[in-house]
Amino acid sequence: MANIKFMVCPHDTVRNPDGWYRLVQFLTSHYELSLHFEMSLDFSEFREAMMNADLVYANPTDAINLIDQHGMKPLMRPADTYDEALIVTGPDGDLPDVSAINGAMVASVENLLPTRIGLKCMEGKGIKPAGILHRDSWLSVVRSVWNGEAPFGIVYRDAYEELSQQGRDMVRILGETEERSAFHMFVARPVLHQDLATLLPSLTEMHNDPDGASILKEISIPAWAIVSDDALAKMRALVNG
């Protein structure tokens, strides 16, 4: 198979670049793939180049964009792993009920999917904030809640889990969404999709291989699963909604 330009969502590679290099080595040695791993330092660089890649591990919004706007095809996703949001408040005082968000300002990164997931969850509970205090990063959201700029915040769960203990202590968790609709996934160029799709049955068993299981644990993925049409449609509705 020709040299494959492979890119990964920066959020994942920033957390653990070595784990993703190990995955590339595993795929190369077990399936004779010729992968050229190009790591992006930030989302601006990633999004500028991702449509020119052959194989991309993308977050939900970028994955849908690559599929719908650039003709890529879904391959596989982490099994039973979803992008969710946390509803947080400041570190002091009595812990309020989540209903206290009604009519209050909520800090979040306004244009990102976890914010939409958090707002959808609140809407399902009949809760409507007064508005969104936009911040440029999840850490800035935490800081805004901690210093009282907003009484509540919506934070991407994975970003919160990556904070230091000091960072986590800046806020308290009121609730966690259980949307189970958004997930990262591999997408591939159509010219490669058919060949790569033949590997899916064996890749879904990667967690049963000792080396494979070690790599998956390092990149915090329990196993691989094939992307179903229903799951893709549900995620598309959430991203485009």
Side-chain angles (χ1 to χ4, degrees), residues 42-114:
D42 55 42
F43 275 99
S44 177
E45 181 181 327
F46 175 71
R47 288 178 176 139
E48 200 171 300
M50 67 182 186
M51 65 281 298
N52 296 316
D54 302 304
L55 179 65
V56 183
Y57 183 74
N59 63 69
T61 301
D62 288 334
I64 292 299
N65 179 38
L66 288 168
I67 292 168
D68 292 350
Q69 305 299 323
H70 300 282
M72 291 197 178
K73 304 288 186 182
L75 274 170
M76 61 183 181
R77 50 163 291 193
D80 201 32
T81 303
Y82 299 91
D83 286 36
E84 301 287 357
L86 299 177
I87 314 300
V88 300
T89 191
D92 302 318
D94 295 333
L95 194 66
D97 185 80
V98 70
S99 62
I101 297 172
N102 240 329
M105 291 297 293
V106 175
S108 198
V109 185
E110 195 168 22
N111 57 337
L112 295 186
L113 188 60

Side-chain angles (χ1 to χ4, degrees), residues 53-56 71-75 186-193 196:
D54 302 304
L55 179 65
V56 183
M72 291 197 178
K73 304 288 186 182
L75 274 170
F186 279 99
V187 297
R189 286 194 175 283
V191 69
L192 288 170
H193 184 267
L196 291 173

Side-chain angles (χ1 to χ4, degrees), residues 34-239:
S34 179
L35 292 177
H36 176 61
F37 182 24
E38 293 195 3
M39 194 164 71
S40 302
L41 298 178
D42 55 42
F43 275 99
S44 177
E45 181 181 327
F46 175 71
R47 288 178 176 139
E48 200 171 300
M50 67 182 186
M51 65 281 298
N52 296 316
D54 302 304
L55 179 65
V56 183
Y57 183 74
N59 63 69
T61 301
D62 288 334
I64 292 299
N65 179 38
L66 288 168
I67 292 168
D68 292 350
Q69 305 299 323
H70 300 282
M72 291 197 178
K73 304 288 186 182
L75 274 170
M76 61 183 181
R77 50 163 291 193
D80 201 32
T81 303
Y82 299 91
D83 286 36
E84 301 287 357
L86 299 177
I87 314 300
V88 300
T89 191
D92 302 318
D94 295 333
L95 194 66
D97 185 80
V98 70
S99 62
I101 297 172
N102 240 329
M105 291 297 293
V106 175
S108 198
V109 185
E110 195 168 22
N111 57 337
L112 295 186
L113 188 60
T115 301
R116 187 175 301 169
I117 292 172
L119 291 173
K120 182 180 179 184
C121 176
M122 291 183 204
E123 184 180 0
K125 298 177 184 294
I127 298 169
K128 186 175 182 180
I132 299 295
L133 180 66
H134 173 68
R135 290 294 177 258
D136 292 331
S137 70
W138 301 117
L139 180 57
S140 294
V141 171
V142 169
R143 286 173 174 162
S144 289
V145 174
W146 174 70
N147 66 25
E149 292 176 355
F152 304 102
I154 299 172
V155 181
Y156 180 32
R157 183 181 63 188
D158 286 16
Y160 172 84
E161 290 174 351
E162 290 160 18
L163 293 174
S164 65
Q165 188 59 52
Q166 183 181 12
R168 294 186 191 190
D169 289 344
M170 293 169 73
V171 292
R172 290 175 293 172
I173 298 172
L174 290 184
E176 179 176 347
T177 65
E178 296 181 2
E179 180 65 29
R180 296 178 66 84
S181 297
F183 47 84
H184 285 53
M185 73 169 89
F186 279 99
V187 297
R189 286 194 175 283
V191 69
L192 288 170
H193 184 267
Q194 186 171 351
D195 288 337
L196 291 173
T198 63
L199 304 178
L200 296 186
S202 55
L203 285 171
T204 57
E205 295 298 316
M206 182 177 168
H207 62 288
N208 292 322
D209 176 278
D211 289 339
S214 172
I215 294 167
L216 290 174
K217 183 178 180 180
E218 190 169 352
I219 59 177
S220 301
I221 291 174
W224 297 117
I226 294 171
V227 181
S228 71
D229 291 341
D230 286 347
L232 185 63
K234 191 176 179 181
M235 187 167 83
R236 181 181 282 111
L238 181 64
V239 168

